[in-house]
Amino acid sequence: IPDGQEATVSNLAERLVLKHHSVVELIDRMETHGYVRRSRSREDRRSVLVSLLPRGAKVLDQVAQHRVGELRASGAALAKAIAALLKNNHALHGRKISMVRSRKGLAKRRG
């Protein structure tokens, strides 16, 4: 969650691109295992805040380290793939423009 935002169920659902009820189910399971704790917001009692417990922070750190290792290992290949996609998209966009221009030219010749 970005700085300045609270870890509410709604914010988590938005960031994870999941339905609210799906995030509630995930939080239920994580709370059962001692990874997070729920509490009511002091500002808005309708909002449920989710706090990471030490056990959850430890697991999160392990997952993050693993993901960073994966990104380092595949970073160069990922950068090349993104560059190729951008190049292909640019070439495709250029073709669309030239096709539109040629169609406009045909319309003028006919008219």
Side-chain angles (χ1 to χ4, degrees), residues 12-28:
L12 290 168
E14 183 179 323
R15 298 281 298 174
L16 295 169
V17 192
L18 292 172
K19 301 273 186 199
H20 187 275
H21 67 272
S22 297
V23 172
V24 170
E25 289 177 22
L26 289 170
I27 292 170
D28 286 344

Side-chain angles (χ1 to χ4, degrees), residues 32-90:
T32 298
H33 293 296
Y35 298 129
V36 299
R37 175 182 46 228
R38 275 186 258 222
S39 61
R40 292 279 175 194
S41 170
R42 290 181 183 166
E43 296 170 8
D44 182 354
R45 300 291 296 162
R46 296 171 296 174
S47 293
V48 176
L49 302 177
V50 181
S51 304
L52 198 58
L53 295 174
R55 184 175 180 181
K58 182 179 177 182
V59 171
L60 179 61
D61 186 50
Q62 291 170 345
V63 169
Q65 287 179 11
H66 180 73
R67 294 292 179 231
V68 167
E70 287 179 349
L71 287 172
R72 284 188 180 135
S74 61
L78 180 60
K80 286 180 185 177
I82 291 170
L85 284 171
L86 291 172
K87 183 178 178 181
N88 288 340
N89 186 39
H90 179 70

